[in-house]
Structure formats: structure tokens, C-alpha cells
């Protein structure tokens, strides 16, 4: 029935003059909104009816200001657990009730934002149980003299580090890493498209996705989506690469085990590594995967690249 019953009752009541008023909405001592009744009610004679569309928009705006995303527990560089942090969001049902009560009773000139605590998916206890057993790992090498490419690899590696994939879940490289942009810190570096090499923002991250693919394959995880480059890449054995592009191919694997798996990824000093861990209870089926060559790939010079891709 929602609020329709209230509207019906109000329509049966004797008409009375409605006094417009102002309302302050506060969060932890700070004003997040200041409004008048007139903005949120229909202009009907004597009977104030709330405009739910405008109220929903108000709640959206408030939530953007007060929402705090939960932070999963994670491992630092030394392998120590960094505890989780719960988040908060707007309790929309409670706020709606408070707002209606204000409109029809005018019992207060201010409302405190009602909150709901949001718990992270990964807490310290869970992380402690899945960080102990290594089920798959892979290492590739890159020329650290290529600064832009090295920075792109390190940034993408940091993004997938500490990601936990739950049983039955799929890991999408594009979804986790997101669009590669200058605003996120990605630099221009060599990329391969349709067999040709040119320079673009985010060049080099295919080495991260390829390293992850080989580690996931070794761990016996289900490879759902993978595409190879249109020409040979030097950092993995032939046919063992996984090309990715925001507007194109993605690399996706699924956790087909009954335990969560944890991704650890690092890139420094010319070495890109991915390790996958899980619980001691996991019954995984390891696959044989050829290792990458330790020979450093030659640095690609910008002047050697046909920037037009022809």
C-alpha cells in the first residue's frame, strides 16, 4: 500500500491552511541540504502531497555526500593483514519516514541523516584463511628502462592486487582495472592493434593480464574469455598471452572451486609477478604451464613506431 493510505485519509480530512516552512538536513554536525517545503510538495489546496520523484532525487544527492564505501581487509607488502573498514550509506526508508513526518507534523526544523552500516565483503578472518596456500603463480619480465610502460604495468598490477574472487564468481580484467586514462595515471606507451604497433595510453598492461592468465591457468581456474595478440609478444611463450582493451577484448576467469581465491600482484625492477592463494581446504587441480623467458625484451623506441598504425 505504501503511502497511498495516508493520502486517502488526508483527502477525507477538512481542508486546512498549510504553512510553508524550511528544513535543514544535517550529518554529523554539518549541513548537507537546506530546503523549503514548496520544493517537494504538489501545489494542491490545503493538502500537502509529497512529490516522491523529487524526494528520491534529494535522497540521491544526500547519499552522494555522506556515503562511505567499505574497505576490504588486505595484505600489505610484508604480507601482514590490514584490517577492514566498514562503510555507511543513507537509510532511505528511515529518511523517507522522517521527511513525511516533518511535512505533516512539522515537529522539527532539522533532520539528522539516518545511516546504515555497510560491511566489506572481505574481513580479516576470511583473509587470514585464504592467504596461506599458494595454488598458482607466474612471473614475466620487462625492460624497466621504458619508464612509461613500466609505470602502466605497476599501476595495473596494483589495481588487481588483493582482489578476492568468491566461489562461482567471474573475474573480469576490464571491469576490475577499469578504463585506462591519463587521469588515473596511465601513460602513453607501445601497444599492438591488428598486427601493427603504435603508441597509446595504457600501453603495456597486456603484460599484466597475460601474467594473470598464466597464473590463473596454473591454479586450475576456469578460463572463460581470452584473446591472443595479433602478433607475437616477447614476454610470454607463444600463444600464452591475453590481450585486453577497454573497447575490445577482455580477460575473464571463473573461480570454479568451493573456496575463495586471493590475487597478489607486484611489478617492480623489471619483474611482473602474480600469485594466487586460497584456503588449505581447497582441492585444486594444478595445470602445467610453460614458464616465461628471463631474457629482457628489447626496449621499443618511439621513433620506431608508426603512430598512424599503417
Amino acid at each position: 500500500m505504501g503511502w497511498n493510505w495516508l493520502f486517502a485519509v488526508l483527502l477525507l480530512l477538512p481542508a486546512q491552511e498549510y504553512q510553508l516552512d524550511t528544513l535543514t538536513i544535517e550529518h554529523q554536525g554539518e549541513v548537507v541540504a537546506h530546503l523549503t517545503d514548496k520544493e517537494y510538495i504538489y501545489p494542491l489546496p490545503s493538502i500537502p502531497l509529497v512529490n516522491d520523484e523529487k524526494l528520491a532525487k534529494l535522497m540521491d544527492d544526500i547519499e552522494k555526500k555522506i556515503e562511505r564505501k567499505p574497505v576490504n581487509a588486505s595484505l600489505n607488502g610484508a604480507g601482514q593483514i590490514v584490517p577492514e573498514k566498514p562503510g555507511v550509506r543513507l537509510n532511505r526508508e528511515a529518511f523517507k519516514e522522517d521527511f513525511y513526518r516533518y511535512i505533516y507534523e512539522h515537529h522539527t526544523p532539522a533532520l539528522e541523516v539516518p545511516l546504515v552500516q555497510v560491511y566489506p565483503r572481505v574481513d580479516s578472518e576470511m583473509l587470514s584463511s585464504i592467504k596461506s596456500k599458494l595454488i598458482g603463480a607466474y612471473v614475466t619480465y620487462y625492460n624497466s628502462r621504458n619508464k612509461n610502460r613500466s609505470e602502466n604495468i605497476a599501476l595495473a598490477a596494483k589495481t588487481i592486487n588483493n582482489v578476492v574472487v568468491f566461489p562461482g564468481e567471474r573475474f573480469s580484467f576490464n571491469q576490475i582495472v577499469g578504463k585506462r586514462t591519463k587521469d588515473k595515471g596511465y601513460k602513453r606507451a607501445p601497444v599492438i592493434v591488428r598486427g601493427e604497433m603504435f603508441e597509446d595510453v595504457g600501453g603495456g598492461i597486456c603484460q599484466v593480464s597475460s601474467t594473470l592468465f598464466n597464473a590463473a591457468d596454473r591454479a586450475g581456474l576456469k578460463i572463460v574469455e581470452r584473446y591472443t595478440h595479433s602478433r607475437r609478444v616477447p614476454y610470454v611463450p607463444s600463444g600464452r598471452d591475453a590481450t585486453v582493451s577497454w573497447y575490445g577484448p577482455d580477460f575473464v576467469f571463473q573461480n570454479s572451486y568451493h573456496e575463495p581465491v586471493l590475487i597478489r600482484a607486484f611489478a617492480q625492477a623489471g619483474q611482473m609477478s602474480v600469485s594466487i592463494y586460497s584456503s588449505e581446504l581447497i582441492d585444486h587441480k594444478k595445470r602445467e604451464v610453460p614458464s616465461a623467458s628471463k631474457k629482457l625484451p628489447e626496449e621499443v623506441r618511439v621513433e620506431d613506431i608508426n603512430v598512424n598504425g599503417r
Side-chain angles (χ1 to χ4, degrees):
M1 293 179 59
W3 296 95
N4 292 335
W5 67 272
L6 181 58
F7 296 160
V9 171
L10 289 169
L11 288 172
L12 295 175
L13 294 176
Q16 54 183 346
E17 185 177 356
Y18 180 75
Q19 300 295 323
L20 295 179
D21 209 340
T22 60
L23 174 67
T24 299
I25 300 173
E26 301 176 344
H27 172 58
Q28 296 179 347
E30 295 186 5
V31 175
V32 295
H34 191 71
L35 51 95
T36 63
D37 297 3
K38 187 177 180 181
E39 299 175 74
Y40 295 91
I41 63 174
Y42 289 106
L44 299 177
S46 301
I47 303 173
L49 295 181
V50 175
N51 185 325
D52 279 334
E53 289 186 4
K54 288 187 176 181
L55 178 57
K57 176 63 167 57
L58 172 64
M59 290 191 288
D60 290 342
D61 293 339
I62 292 173
E63 191 154 47
K64 289 177 183 177
K65 294 179 181 179
I66 62 92
E67 184 180 25
R68 188 176 72 244
K69 299 288 187 182
V71 179
N72 287 333
S74 61
L75 298 178
N76 61 22
Q80 300 168 324
I81 294 179
V82 179
E84 69 279 5
K85 295 180 180 178
V88 294
R89 62 174 173 80
L90 173 67
N91 186 330
R92 298 176 77 94
E93 284 302 315
F95 181 85
K96 191 172 184 178
E97 289 180 12
D98 290 344
F99 189 85
Y100 268 78
R101 188 174 295 110
Y102 160 75
I103 291 294
Y104 297 117
E105 299 178 7
H106 280 73
H107 71 289
T108 177
L111 292 181
E112 178 68 21
V113 177
L115 302 176
V116 173
Q117 194 165 51
V118 182
Y119 295 95
R121 299 185 74 202
V122 181
D123 59 22
S124 300
E125 183 178 358
M126 173 187 289
L127 191 61
S128 178
S129 70
I130 64 172
K131 73 182 185 71
S132 56
K133 187 171 183 177
L134 178 67
I135 63 172
Y138 204 81
V139 179
T140 61
Y141 304 88
Y142 58 91
N143 198 322
S144 58
R145 291 178 297 171
N146 190 326
K147 297 299 183 183
N148 284 4
R149 189 174 185 279
S150 298
E151 290 184 25
N152 290 341
I153 290 173
L155 184 56
K158 183 178 179 181
T159 306
I160 68 171
N161 184 45
N162 278 310
V163 170
V164 173
V165 186
F166 286 79
E169 274 191 345
R170 292 187 176 189
F171 173 100
S172 162
F173 189 90
N174 281 342
Q175 182 180 353
I176 296 297
V177 176
K179 190 174 183 179
R180 282 65 88 177
T181 65
K182 290 182 179 179
D183 290 341
K184 290 183 177 180
Y186 287 99
K187 307 293 181 62
R188 297 183 67 86
V191 297
I192 299 172
V193 177
R194 298 185 184 92
E196 300 294 335
M197 185 171 285
F198 67 102
E199 206 177 63
D200 197 9
V201 175
I205 66 166
C206 288
Q207 182 158 351
V208 180
S209 56
S210 296
T211 309
L212 175 62
F213 155 60
N214 283 280
D217 203 19
R218 274 187 174 171
L221 295 164
K222 182 180 179 180
I223 308 303
V224 176
E225 185 177 344
R226 178 182 73 97
Y227 304 90
T228 58
H229 287 81
S230 48
R231 63 186 288 179
R232 173 83 165 82
V233 293
Y235 44 79
V236 289
S238 179
R240 298 299 307 177
D241 55 313
T243 182
V244 291
S245 173
W246 180 247
Y247 294 109
D250 192 7
F251 168 60
V252 181
F253 71 83
Q254 183 177 28
N255 179 7
S256 51
Y257 296 123
H258 296 296
E259 298 290 333
V261 297
L262 166 69
I263 299 172
R264 296 284 279 157
F266 300 97
Q268 57 184 2
Q271 181 172 302
M272 171 69 222
S273 65
V274 173
S275 301
I276 299 178
Y277 294 85
S278 189
S279 163
E280 293 287 351
L281 300 176
I282 194 169
D283 181 20
H284 73 293
K285 299 177 182 178
K286 205 168 184 178
R287 297 194 188 101
E288 292 297 324
V289 172
S291 299
S293 171
K294 293 184 178 181
K295 181 181 179 182
L296 286 181
E298 293 183 8
E299 183 177 9
V300 180
R301 297 177 301 174
V302 174
E303 55 266 30
D304 291 336
I305 301 173
N306 184 343
V307 294
N308 293 320
R310 297 177 181 173

